[in-house]
Amino acid sequence: MKMLSSLKFILTILSIIRGVEYHISFKRSQNSSSFPKRASFPSDFLFGVGSSSLQIEGDSLEGGGGKGVWEDIVERHKERFVDADKVSTMIEHYKRYKEDVKHLKYLGVNSYRMSISWSRILPDGTLKGGINKEGIKFYNNLINELLANGIEPFVTIVHFDYPVAIQQKIGGFLNHTIVKYYKDYCKLLFKTYGDRVKHWTTTNEPQVVAIYKYMHGYDNDAAEPCQDTKICSQAYTVLHNFLICHATATHLYRQQFQETQRGDIGIVISYQGFVPYSSKPEDVAAAQRLMDFWLGWILEPLFYGDYPQIMRKLVGNRLPKFTKKEKHMIKGSADFIGINYYTSQFARYEPNRTNINGLDNFDALATTSEEFNIEGKPLGHKDQYSGRYVYPKGLYDVLIFIKEKYQNPNIYITENGTPSSNNPNPLIDDHRIAYITEHINATKAAIDNGVKVRGYFVWTAFDTFEFEAGYSGHWGLYHVDFNNSLKRIPKASAKWYRNFLKSNGGH
Ligand SMILES: *[C@@H]1O[C@H](CO)[C@@H](O)[C@H](O)[C@H]1NC(C)=O
Ligand SMILES: *[C@@H]1O[C@H](CO)[C@@H](O)[C@H](O)[C@H]1NC(C)=O
Ligand SMILES: *[C@@H]1O[C@H](CO)[C@@H](O)[C@H](O)[C@H]1NC(C)=O
Ligand SMILES: *[C@@H]1O[C@H](CO)[C@@H](O)[C@H](O)[C@H]1NC(C)=O
Ligand SMILES: *[C@@H]1O[C@H](CO)[C@@H](O)[C@H](O)[C@H]1NC(C)=O
């Protein structure tokens, strides 16, 4: 998920009224049973919930693990993070995984998206530094518990976090040497868990890491000082190394494991929809350019072997080049694409890079800072409880876009969900039910139009530490009560998801 607290949109009376009207009409439409039922999806479609090790497990040192880069930065900069004091325990998933699997079972999901903590398995990041047996055992136990309950593990190999030792030794993903360490780690995972794990993803949202941490310098102690000149390089280097790590892992899996283990392997990317701010050609072009800078950055190499031409032109020699061998290795290196979708934004042409702010890429000559389009309309409706715009059509549109532009690949919606930041009672989260319903509807519509979506995961299972926003967004289908021994309590949305997954009626 997003490393920053939710985007700060300006509240307007107008959008609040729209939101209320929207909720009323949503309730009406729910009654008209116009939404798809579970049975209208294939029976082997994965319906799940997601999590990441870093955001729920707690105490990476317990049982002999090593420290991860995120725990490290929170500890050193507590003032930047809401709930920084809760980071050392998180929600104690490491200790309470058995109970948590019971909660997943209650939901009725057939899959659980989880990640493995590199530093719990290899405390200093390297095989040479030794394997932590307790860490290996923890994930064996968790995977076995899931399978015993009919829940397939869907495993992310690196979800933002990696060992501090690797950061200190080589500078993390800035250094091409990471590929070697990453490959050793992947091989250990395939060997250890691949008999039971049938869905692997190499990494989560590398674009978010590159843009937030390396271009804008958030939560990065040694950020490249380019925020004033807006001429940055590191973001491109980091993403490049992520891609080479990804392709290396896929090759390894395909050559040594896939035939016997019969799983698949892909990558999870973040997608924010881009809609032109006006019908002027320069705004239409800006929206297309942002698609290339955000999605094409990863999908062009994966499907066609190199970065989008517009990126090569605008970024110039700050964009690393693939060798012939690398191009060959990267092209075709995903069995599926994972898409994390939350919302969409307007794209407006901005020729002056010094005026590009927010979380935008300085090189794309476009800004997404407009809340309303040229006609004063927002995208979708603003939800009062999340403070965010809800725009399911953005999900539908990107699924169609990927099908058409990138050879109709298998796709999983690996994250989709909404915070509950302004909700007076986190247990009653009807806005989340509405959000999920509409996005499942958009997913179904895309499938009906030929997109090969194979699964959908709600972000997230349990209230989860969301970086600078801490637990304030109450993202989970399960509430975690910090005043009562971290008790897990199903919210209205948990009960709704359970009923949805149980229902057999369909159309
Ligand atoms: C939906 O239908 C139920 C039963 O038919 C009814 O009790 C309820 O009031 C309806 N809700 C809305 C918002 O129309
Ligand atoms: C990358 O790591 C190697 C050690 O493996 C080190 O010698 C080199 O200086 C590092 N390069 C950068 C750019 O940090
Ligand atoms: C870009 O904007 C900055 C300030 O916003 C201004 O100082 C500069 O002259 C502008 N550059 C161009 C090429 O318009
Ligand atoms: C479901 O999605 C389709 C396609 O995007 C849309 O036309 C329809 O209005 C949606 N239905 C509801 C009830 O939101
Ligand atoms: C938990 O307790 C604190 C301090 O007593 C209180 O401020 C807070 O509102 C409580 N939180 C919940 C969710 O009940």
Side-chain angles (χ1 to χ4, degrees):
M1 239 324 289
K2 299 280 188 301
M3 287 184 195
L4 291 177
S5 45
S6 55
L7 298 176
K8 292 182 186 79
F9 295 115
I10 309 151
L11 263 172
T12 67
I13 304 286
L14 190 65
S15 61
I16 292 173
I17 293 170
R18 279 206 186 97
V20 171
E21 278 170 357
Y22 176 78
H23 268 277
I24 294 167
S25 76
F26 175 77
K27 288 228 153 158
R28 263 188 234 120
S29 67
Q30 256 185 324
N31 262 13
S32 71
S33 71
S34 53
F35 286 109
K37 301 279 192 291
R38 168 64 180 100
S40 61
F41 291 83
S43 60
D44 63 353
F45 190 88
L46 298 185
F47 267 111
V49 277
S51 71
S52 92
S53 56
L54 160 70
Q55 293 170 277
I56 59 171
E57 284 178 5
D59 201 354
S60 54
L61 300 183
E62 176 139 359
K67 190 161 286 196
V69 289
W70 272 100
E71 199 175 341
D72 176 58
I73 196 137
V74 178
E75 275 174 8
R76 286 185 296 106
H77 294 283
K78 286 196 155 70
E79 73 288 352
R80 285 189 207 156
F81 295 83
V82 176
D83 296 327
D85 57 318
K86 299 188 171 106
V87 163
S88 57
T89 58
M90 293 286 174
I91 62 163
E92 289 188 349
H93 173 72
Y94 181 72
K95 290 184 183 145
R96 300 169 68 154
Y97 73 90
K98 270 200 178 185
E99 174 196 343
D100 286 343
V101 173
K102 283 202 184 106
H103 296 309
L104 298 175
K105 171 95 174 166
Y106 169 88
L107 293 175
V109 294
N110 60 7
S111 188
Y112 175 57
R113 179 169 177 245
M114 54 176 272
S115 77
I116 291 178
S117 160
W118 185 342
S119 64
R120 214 182 266 295
I121 299 279
L122 296 169
D124 88 343
T126 71
L127 282 175
K128 220 168 156 191
I131 297 171
N132 176 29
K133 295 226 163 59
E134 283 290 306
I136 294 276
K137 196 169 107 192
F138 168 68
Y139 295 107
N140 265 322
N141 289 342
L142 173 57
I143 288 165
N144 292 342
E145 192 72 15
L146 288 166
L147 289 169
N149 285 282
I151 301 169
E152 275 203 48
F154 194 101
V155 177
T156 312
I157 294 172
V158 169
H159 193 119
F160 295 152
D161 206 32
Y162 54 91
V164 161
I166 287 278
Q167 184 66 28
Q168 288 165 349
K169 201 170 348 203
I170 64 165
F173 282 86
L174 265 177
N175 192 326
H176 193 273
T177 310
I178 189 115
V179 177
K180 167 181 159 355
Y181 298 113
Y182 178 82
K183 185 177 176 185
D184 288 346
Y185 165 53
C186 288
K187 187 166 183 178
L188 178 61
L189 298 190
F190 299 148
K191 262 188 358 203
T192 311
Y193 306 118
D195 56 333
R196 287 152 292 154
V197 172
K198 301 304 168 199
H199 303 287
W200 295 99
T201 63
T202 53
T203 185
N204 180 67
E205 299 185 348
Q207 317 114 295
V208 172
V209 177
I211 293 290
Y212 287 24
K213 196 164 163 181
Y214 290 93
M215 185 168 277
H216 292 276
Y218 295 118
D219 300 323
N220 180 350
D221 284 340
E224 173 188 25
C226 61
Q227 287 75 37
D228 293 328
T229 62
K230 316 236 170 180
I231 302 198
C232 308
S233 300
Q234 290 190 346
Y236 300 108
T237 306
V238 162
L239 194 120
H240 193 77
N241 289 333
F242 266 120
L243 278 175
I244 293 174
C245 282
H246 160 81
T248 303
T250 301
H251 262 251
L252 172 70
Y253 187 66
R254 286 180 178 167
Q255 281 174 353
Q256 297 185 24
F257 299 95
Q258 197 165 37
E259 204 182 331
T260 49
Q261 298 184 346
R262 303 189 163 276
D264 54 18
I265 185 162
I267 185 169
V268 172
I269 64 187
S270 155
Y271 173 68
Q272 314 165 28
F274 301 108
V275 174
Y277 168 72
S278 79
S279 57
K280 285 189 207 146
E282 63 259 36
D283 290 333
V284 173
Q288 281 165 358
R289 205 158 49 244
L290 285 177
M291 290 298 262
D292 277 331
F293 268 80
W294 197 250
L295 275 189
W297 196 4
I298 290 176
L299 295 185
E300 289 284 323
L302 282 190
F303 288 92
Y304 301 112
D306 206 349
Y307 293 119
Q309 204 193 339
I310 187 71
M311 286 190 80
R312 283 184 271 150
K313 184 174 155 203
L314 292 176
V315 184
N317 59 15
R318 286 175 290 124
L319 189 66
K321 292 188 174 49
F322 295 112
T323 63
K324 262 219 167 82
K325 202 174 145 215
E326 285 168 346
K327 282 186 184 177
H328 185 71
M329 183 175 75
I330 286 173
K331 193 173 162 182
S333 66
D335 297 329
F336 65 87
I337 302 299
I339 294 286
N340 295 351
Y341 177 80
Y342 291 94
T343 188
S344 298
Q345 291 164 295
F346 290 118
R348 179 173 64 69
Y349 175 49
E350 174 50 73
N352 186 341
R353 67 166 60 234
T354 65
N355 293 336
I356 294 174
N357 289 303
L359 297 168
D360 292 326
N361 187 320
F362 302 140
D363 292 305
L365 303 182
T367 174
T368 61
S369 60
E370 302 292 347
E371 185 179 5
F372 302 103
N373 70 5
I374 197 165
E375 289 161 3
K377 296 214 172 88
L379 255 187
H381 72 275
K382 184 164 184 158
D383 180 75
Q384 57 178 327
Y385 293 120
S386 67
R388 291 181 167 199
Y389 283 99
V390 179
Y391 189 60
K393 183 170 184 298
L395 176 59
Y396 173 82
D397 288 345
V398 73
L399 291 172
I400 298 289
F401 177 86
I402 293 175
K403 172 193 154 197
E404 284 169 4
K405 187 155 185 187
Y406 298 109
Q407 308 168 359
N408 199 9
N410 285 315
I411 297 177
Y412 291 89
I413 316 288
T414 31
E415 290 182 19
N416 178 239
T418 185
S420 207
S421 321
N422 313 322
N423 187 352
N425 181 354
L427 293 179
I428 308 296
D429 55 348
D430 290 347
H431 73 298
R432 179 171 286 120
I433 298 174
Y435 182 96
I436 295 171
T437 310
E438 291 174 292
H439 287 81
I440 288 178
N441 175 59
T443 303
K444 177 68 168 63
I447 294 172
D448 291 344
N449 281 291
V451 183
K452 297 194 293 194
V453 186
R454 305 300 192 199
Y456 171 94
F457 293 82
V458 175
W459 185 269
T460 171
F462 308 99
D463 283 348
T464 293
F465 184 79
E466 293 285 347
F467 306 96
E468 291 183 358
Y471 291 91
S472 64
H474 302 276
W475 279 84
L477 296 181
Y478 275 89
H479 177 67
V480 176
D481 188 346
F482 282 92
N483 286 348
N484 183 11
S485 326
L486 303 177
K487 187 173 176 199
R488 281 79 158 134
I489 307 168
K491 300 179 188 176
S493 57
K495 295 170 190 166
W496 173 85
Y497 202 34
R498 172 185 165 86
N499 283 333
F500 169 76
L501 294 177
K502 269 200 331 204
S503 73
N504 289 315
H507 68 269

